[in-house]
Amino acid sequence: MDVEALRTFVVVAGVGQFQAAADELGISQQAVSKRIAALERHVAVTLVVRSSRGSRLSLDGQVFLPHAKKVLTAVEQAERAVNPGSRPLRVDVLNRRISPAQAVYRFYRSRPETDLDAVTLDTVTLDKENAAQAAQAVLEEVVDASFRALPADRIPTGITAERLLDEPLELLVGPGHPLADASRISPVDLAGHRIWIPGIRPGTEWAAFYQALSEAFGLSIDALGPNFGDEALMDALADSASLATLVGRGDRYLWPRTHDLRRIPLHDPTPFYPHLLLFRTGDRHPVLTALRDHLRTTAPRTPHDAWTPDWTVTVH
């Protein structure tokens, strides 16, 4: 059934004249007549009776009118539901403790009326843990945007990738570690020390990142052993004189005060994890636009000694 014909019928019923309906709809009187005739052919009854004094609804037309209005109301509701900004922006923040989640949280704090959902894809759908799968999830509209690290040649058609969140890395160690009292260190000084990052999975973007980092500076980075979560990692660091891990400066990990863990900045150079914001090309959701603007304006200036892998997408 033609929605415009239904809309024309309702207007004719309201104004009582084809010409007045044409004026209200911004079309010709002939177009109004054609739409009404097509609608009557579709329902196989006469809906409007024309006379020298105007138009009136037939008995069938009177019965049909309230149903036509309900259909138009449903169509209007459906259209509003998919208009940009009519639903929350759904953003995959990868992990609620790390920098992307904290950045989106700061954005929300700056404008708490914002309508958005911060999610992690592993809680939305299965097997979406690497960047390529996350990009596909954006294309399939499982989420509107995702923070990931992808080489330029792996960004699929239909996805725009904007590098908006470079995260400097820090060393995290327990009080017994040989580097615990350092105020800052260079990545090359980590050679010979075991850096344990449990949970790294082959094929993920963070596995590629840490592989590039270890090759660039001769580091020993591994994910050996079971991953019992962040709290267990903090416990292991506190009890060890040899284990270390790497965290983002903006990551928000918590541990008991008695652990006395130390966060030590890296410099000369400073390794940065290059988070890209992936979103559908041409997406006009106003919250997405506002989030991108916020990330651009609040991003700290990248230092001169920044290091990222060779495959990192250039900053826009």
Side-chain angles (χ1 to χ4, degrees), residues 262-297:
R262 319 289 175 84
R263 297 182 74 135
I264 305 170
L266 300 179
H267 77 111
D268 193 26
T270 301
F272 275 76
Y273 193 92
H275 292 285
L276 304 177
L277 184 64
L278 308 180
F279 53 93
R280 290 181 295 280
T281 302
D283 191 330
R284 296 181 293 113
H285 198 298
V287 179
L288 176 62
T289 300
L291 174 61
R292 292 165 61 199
D293 290 342
H294 172 84
L295 293 173
R296 290 191 201 102
T297 56

Coordinates of all heavy atoms in Angstrom, one line a residue, residues 262-297:
R262 N 54.0 0.4 41.6 CA 54.6 1.7 41.1 C 54.3 1.8 39.6 O 54.6 0.9 38.8 CB 56.1 1.7 41.3 CG 56.5 1.1 42.7 CD 56.2 2.1 43.8 NE 56.5 1.5 45.1 CZ 57.8 1.5 45.7 NH1 58.8 2.1 45.0 NH2 58.0 1.0 46.9
R263 N 53.8 2.9 39.2 CA 53.6 3.3 37.8 C 54.8 4.1 37.4 O 55.0 5.2 37.9 CB 52.3 4.0 37.5 CG 51.0 3.1 37.9 CD 49.8 3.9 37.6 NE 49.5 3.9 36.1 CZ 48.3 3.7 35.6 NH1 47.3 3.4 36.4 NH2 48.1 3.7 34.3
I264 N 55.5 3.7 36.4 CA 56.7 4.4 36.0 C 56.6 4.8 34.5 O 56.5 4.0 33.6 CB 58.0 3.5 36.1 CG1 58.0 2.9 37.6 CG2 59.2 4.2 35.8 CD1 59.0 1.9 37.8
P265 N 56.6 6.1 34.2 CA 56.5 6.6 32.8 C 57.7 6.1 32.0 O 58.8 6.0 32.4 CB 56.5 8.1 33.0 CG 56.2 8.4 34.4 CD 56.7 7.2 35.2
L266 N 57.4 5.8 30.7 CA 58.4 5.5 29.7 C 58.7 6.7 28.9 O 57.8 7.5 28.5 CB 57.9 4.3 28.9 CG 57.6 3.0 29.6 CD1 57.1 2.0 28.6 CD2 58.8 2.5 30.3
H267 N 60.0 6.8 28.5 CA 60.4 8.0 27.7 C 61.6 7.6 26.9 O 62.3 6.6 27.1 CB 60.7 9.2 28.6 CG 62.0 9.1 29.2 ND1 63.1 9.9 28.9 CD2 62.5 8.3 30.2 CE1 64.2 9.6 29.6 NE2 63.8 8.6 30.4
D268 N 61.9 8.4 25.9 CA 63.1 8.3 25.1 C 63.3 6.9 24.4 O 64.3 6.3 24.6 CB 64.3 8.6 25.9 CG 65.6 8.8 25.1 OD1 65.4 9.2 23.9 OD2 66.7 8.6 25.6
P269 N 62.3 6.5 23.6 CA 61.0 7.2 23.3 C 59.9 6.7 24.2 O 60.0 5.8 25.0 CB 60.8 6.7 21.8 CG 61.3 5.3 21.8 CD 62.5 5.3 22.7
T270 N 58.7 7.4 24.0 CA 57.5 7.0 24.7 C 56.6 6.2 23.8 O 56.1 6.7 22.8 CB 56.8 8.3 25.2 OG1 57.6 9.1 26.0 CG2 55.5 7.9 25.9
P271 N 56.5 4.9 24.1 CA 55.6 4.1 23.3 C 54.1 4.5 23.5 O 53.7 4.7 24.6 CB 55.8 2.7 23.8 CG 57.0 2.7 24.6 CD 57.1 4.1 25.2
F272 N 53.4 4.7 22.4 CA 52.0 5.1 22.4 C 51.2 4.0 21.8 O 51.5 3.5 20.7 CB 51.8 6.4 21.6 CG 52.0 7.6 22.4 CD1 53.3 8.0 22.7 CD2 51.0 8.4 22.9 CE1 53.5 9.2 23.4 CE2 51.2 9.5 23.7 CZ 52.5 9.9 23.9
Y273 N 50.1 3.6 22.4 CA 49.1 2.7 21.8 C 48.1 3.6 21.0 O 47.4 4.4 21.6 CB 48.4 1.9 22.9 CG 47.6 0.7 22.2 CD1 48.2 -0.5 22.1 CD2 46.3 0.9 21.7 CE1 47.5 -1.6 21.6 CE2 45.6 -0.1 21.2 CZ 46.2 -1.4 21.1 OH 45.6 -2.4 20.5
P274 N 48.0 3.3 19.7 CA 47.3 4.2 18.8 C 45.8 3.8 18.6 O 45.5 3.0 17.7 CB 48.0 4.1 17.5 CG 48.5 2.7 17.5 CD 48.8 2.3 18.9
H275 N 44.9 4.2 19.5 CA 43.5 3.8 19.4 C 42.9 4.6 18.2 O 42.9 5.8 18.2 CB 42.8 4.2 20.7 CG 43.1 3.3 21.9 ND1 42.7 2.0 22.0 CD2 43.9 3.6 22.9 CE1 43.2 1.5 23.1 NE2 43.9 2.5 23.7
L276 N 42.3 3.9 17.3 CA 41.5 4.5 16.3 C 40.0 4.4 16.6 O 39.6 3.4 17.2 CB 41.7 3.7 14.9 CG 43.1 3.6 14.4 CD1 43.1 2.8 13.1 CD2 43.7 4.9 14.1
L277 N 39.3 5.4 16.3 CA 37.8 5.4 16.4 C 37.2 4.9 15.1 O 37.4 5.6 14.1 CB 37.2 6.7 16.8 CG 35.7 6.7 17.1 CD1 35.4 5.8 18.3 CD2 35.2 8.1 17.3
L278 N 36.7 3.7 15.1 CA 36.1 3.2 13.8 C 34.6 3.5 13.8 O 33.9 3.2 14.8 CB 36.3 1.7 13.8 CG 37.7 1.1 13.9 CD1 37.7 -0.4 13.9 CD2 38.7 1.7 12.9
F279 N 34.1 4.0 12.7 CA 32.7 4.3 12.6 C 32.3 4.2 11.1 O 33.1 4.3 10.2 CB 32.3 5.6 13.2 CG 33.1 6.8 12.6 CD1 32.6 7.6 11.6 CD2 34.3 7.2 13.2 CE1 33.3 8.6 11.1 CE2 35.0 8.3 12.7 CZ 34.5 9.0 11.7
R280 N 31.0 4.0 10.9 CA 30.5 3.9 9.5 C 30.7 5.2 8.8 O 30.3 6.3 9.3 CB 29.0 3.5 9.5 CG 28.8 2.0 9.9 CD 27.4 1.6 9.8 NE 26.6 2.3 10.8 CZ 26.5 2.1 12.1 NH1 27.2 1.1 12.6 NH2 25.7 2.8 12.8
T281 N 31.2 5.2 7.6 CA 31.4 6.4 6.8 C 30.1 7.0 6.5 O 29.1 6.4 6.1 CB 32.1 6.0 5.4 OG1 33.4 5.4 5.7 CG2 32.4 7.2 4.6
G282 N 30.0 8.3 6.8 CA 28.8 9.1 6.5 C 27.8 9.0 7.7 O 26.7 9.6 7.6
D283 N 28.2 8.4 8.8 CA 27.3 8.3 10.0 C 27.0 9.7 10.5 O 28.0 10.4 10.8 CB 27.9 7.4 11.0 CG 26.9 7.1 12.2 OD1 26.0 7.9 12.4 OD2 27.0 6.0 12.8
R284 N 25.8 10.1 10.6 CA 25.4 11.5 11.0 C 24.9 11.6 12.4 O 24.3 12.6 12.8 CB 24.4 12.1 10.0 CG 25.0 12.2 8.6 CD 24.0 12.9 7.6 NE 22.8 12.0 7.4 CZ 21.6 12.3 7.8 NH1 21.3 13.4 8.5 NH2 20.6 11.4 7.6
H285 N 25.1 10.6 13.2 CA 24.6 10.6 14.6 C 25.2 11.8 15.3 O 26.5 11.9 15.4 CB 24.9 9.3 15.3 CG 24.1 9.1 16.5 ND1 24.1 10.0 17.6 CD2 23.2 8.1 16.9 CE1 23.3 9.5 18.5 NE2 22.7 8.4 18.1
P286 N 24.5 12.7 15.9 CA 25.0 13.9 16.5 C 25.9 13.6 17.6 O 26.9 14.4 17.9 CB 23.8 14.8 16.9 CG 22.7 13.8 16.9 CD 23.0 12.7 15.9
V287 N 25.7 12.6 18.4 CA 26.5 12.2 19.5 C 27.9 11.7 19.0 O 28.9 12.0 19.7 CB 25.9 11.2 20.5 CG1 26.8 10.8 21.6 CG2 24.5 11.7 21.0
L288 N 27.9 11.0 17.9 CA 29.2 10.6 17.3 C 30.0 11.9 17.0 O 31.2 11.9 17.2 CB 29.0 9.7 16.1 CG 30.2 9.3 15.3 CD1 31.2 8.5 16.2 CD2 29.9 8.6 14.1
T289 N 29.4 12.8 16.3 CA 30.1 14.1 16.0 C 30.6 14.8 17.2 O 31.8 15.2 17.2 CB 29.1 15.0 15.2 OG1 28.7 14.3 14.0 CG2 29.8 16.3 14.8
A290 N 29.8 14.8 18.2 CA 30.2 15.5 19.5 C 31.4 14.8 20.1 O 32.3 15.4 20.7 CB 29.0 15.6 20.4
L291 N 31.3 13.4 20.1 CA 32.4 12.6 20.7 C 33.7 12.9 20.0 O 34.8 13.1 20.6 CB 32.0 11.2 20.7 CG 33.1 10.2 21.2 CD1 33.5 10.4 22.6 CD2 32.6 8.7 21.0
R292 N 33.7 12.9 18.7 CA 34.9 13.1 17.9 C 35.5 14.5 18.2 O 36.7 14.7 18.3 CB 34.6 12.9 16.4 CG 34.3 11.5 16.0 CD 33.6 11.4 14.6 NE 34.5 12.0 13.6 CZ 34.1 12.4 12.4 NH1 32.8 12.3 12.1 NH2 35.0 12.8 11.5
D293 N 34.6 15.5 18.2 CA 35.1 16.8 18.5 C 35.7 16.9 19.9 O 36.7 17.5 20.1 CB 33.9 17.8 18.5 CG 33.4 18.1 17.0 OD1 34.2 17.7 16.1 OD2 32.3 18.6 16.9
H294 N 35.1 16.2 20.9 CA 35.6 16.2 22.3 C 37.0 15.6 22.3 O 37.9 16.1 23.0 CB 34.6 15.4 23.2 CG 35.1 15.2 24.5 ND1 35.0 16.1 25.6 CD2 35.8 14.1 25.1 CE1 35.6 15.6 26.6 NE2 36.0 14.4 26.4
L295 N 37.1 14.4 21.6 CA 38.4 13.8 21.6 C 39.5 14.6 21.0 O 40.7 14.6 21.4 CB 38.3 12.4 21.0 CG 37.4 11.4 21.7 CD1 37.3 10.1 20.9 CD2 38.0 11.0 23.0
R296 N 39.1 15.3 19.9 CA 40.1 16.2 19.2 C 40.6 17.3 20.1 O 41.8 17.6 20.2 CB 39.5 16.7 17.9 CG 39.3 15.8 16.8 CD 39.0 16.5 15.5 NE 38.3 15.7 14.6 CZ 37.0 15.7 14.4 NH1 36.2 16.5 15.0 NH2 36.4 14.9 13.5
T297 N 39.6 17.9 20.8 CA 40.0 19.1 21.6 C 40.6 18.8 22.9 O 41.3 19.7 23.5 CB 38.7 20.0 21.8 OG1 37.7 19.2 22.5 CG2 38.2 20.5 20.5

